[in-house]
Amino acid sequence: MDGVIVDTEPVHHYAYNQQFKQLGITISPELYASFTGNSTKNIFERLKSHFDLKQEVPELVATKRQLFNEAFDSKEDLYMLDGVEDLIKELYGKEMQLVLASSSAHVTIERIFNRFKLHQYFSHIVSGEDFPKSKPHPAIFLKAAELAQTPVSECIVIEDSTNGIKAAKAAGIYCIGYDSFHSKMQDYSMADQIITNFNELNYHKIANLTP
């Protein structure tokens, strides 16, 4: 979702940095880039261990979520990424099943889906907070395929992060890497195909891909 359907990264970045200041820790750009595709829970598990933080992970996650929600609700200039809405509607109209598999928490996914009225297009929603390990672990995509009742050989993942691409490939799924203007310090070398704009995709191109 983040970085593929909507660019909420500036909101996440703001919330995380507000919290990092409160915690008195400094995060390098390289370390922050490595968080992409991870759940908030897994990120704070790493940070708690790395910085020996006294706060428990659930408390850290709750603070981040509150900071994000406050910033999200006040941000008016939040739009879906160019071309993605048309692609979603086209695939849905052609009866291609769409499943969301996002590292974001259920509450964040709901906020995005309600804001952009996306529920009608997706048969299932899978959140990374339901799994002990984040991407690049393949569990979230394997679960998405299971819910879709579709063999992984007939699935396609669209991902914008190194961790997400690794997770898709670990699950044995064909992966389209979305290298957008918003992507920062991500590696797309493992992707089966790379796009820079959603106008490069349509129903016929996706339906005719051979994983």
Side-chain angles (χ1 to χ4, degrees), residues 57-125:
V57 170
E59 179 187 348
L60 293 165
V61 170
T63 300
K64 157 60 171 51
R65 191 167 294 165
Q66 180 181 352
L67 289 167
F68 174 87
N69 289 344
E70 289 172 356
F72 179 90
D73 290 341
S74 64
K75 189 172 178 60
E76 296 179 0
D77 58 333
L78 192 64
Y79 308 103
M80 293 174 70
L81 293 171
D82 288 346
V84 72
E85 184 174 10
D86 289 339
L87 180 63
I88 288 171
K89 289 180 176 178
E90 180 188 6
L91 298 180
Y92 176 80
K94 297 286 188 179
E95 299 185 348
M96 184 174 282
Q97 186 176 185
L98 302 176
V99 179
L100 184 83
S102 173
S103 296
S104 295
H106 286 288
V107 65
T108 304
I109 294 170
E110 284 298 309
R111 260 183 150 75
I112 297 291
F113 268 50
N114 288 336
R115 181 156 178 168
F116 296 107
K117 299 177 173 59
L118 293 173
H119 281 288
Q120 60 188 309
Y121 303 114
F122 289 80
S123 62
H124 302 282
I125 291 173

Side-chain angles (χ1 to χ4, degrees), residues 34-53:
S34 75
F35 296 160
T36 306
N38 280 195
S39 68
T40 306
K41 176 175 174 285
N42 286 145
I43 288 169
F44 278 114
E45 285 173 346
R46 288 174 60 188
L47 292 178
K48 181 174 174 61
S49 174
H50 187 77
F51 290 99
D52 194 25
L53 299 174

Side-chain angles (χ1 to χ4, degrees), residues 145-162:
E146 178 190 332
L147 290 171
Q149 298 184 334
T150 305
V152 292
S153 61
E154 296 177 21
C155 294
I156 292 168
V157 164
I158 301 177
E159 260 290 351
D160 73 316
S161 72
T162 305

Side-chain angles (χ1 to χ4, degrees), residues 172-190:
I173 300 177
Y174 187 98
C175 185
I176 298 174
Y178 175 47
D179 184 2
S180 76
F181 168 78
H182 306 285
S183 305
K184 300 289 188 294
M185 301 172 70
Q186 301 302 303
D187 179 7
Y188 298 92
S189 60
M190 288 183 65

Side-chain angles (χ1 to χ4, degrees), residues 5-45:
I5 293 178
V6 62
D7 182 27
T8 53
E9 172 51 30
V11 188
H12 284 292
H13 189 268
Y14 171 81
Y16 272 122
N17 277 282
Q18 287 292 106
Q19 190 166 4
F20 296 156
K21 288 177 184 176
Q22 293 174 6
L23 295 169
I25 60 177
T26 301
I27 305 297
S28 69
E30 292 76 17
L31 180 58
Y32 189 84
S34 75
F35 296 160
T36 306
N38 280 195
S39 68
T40 306
K41 176 175 174 285
N42 286 145
I43 288 169
F44 278 114
E45 285 173 346

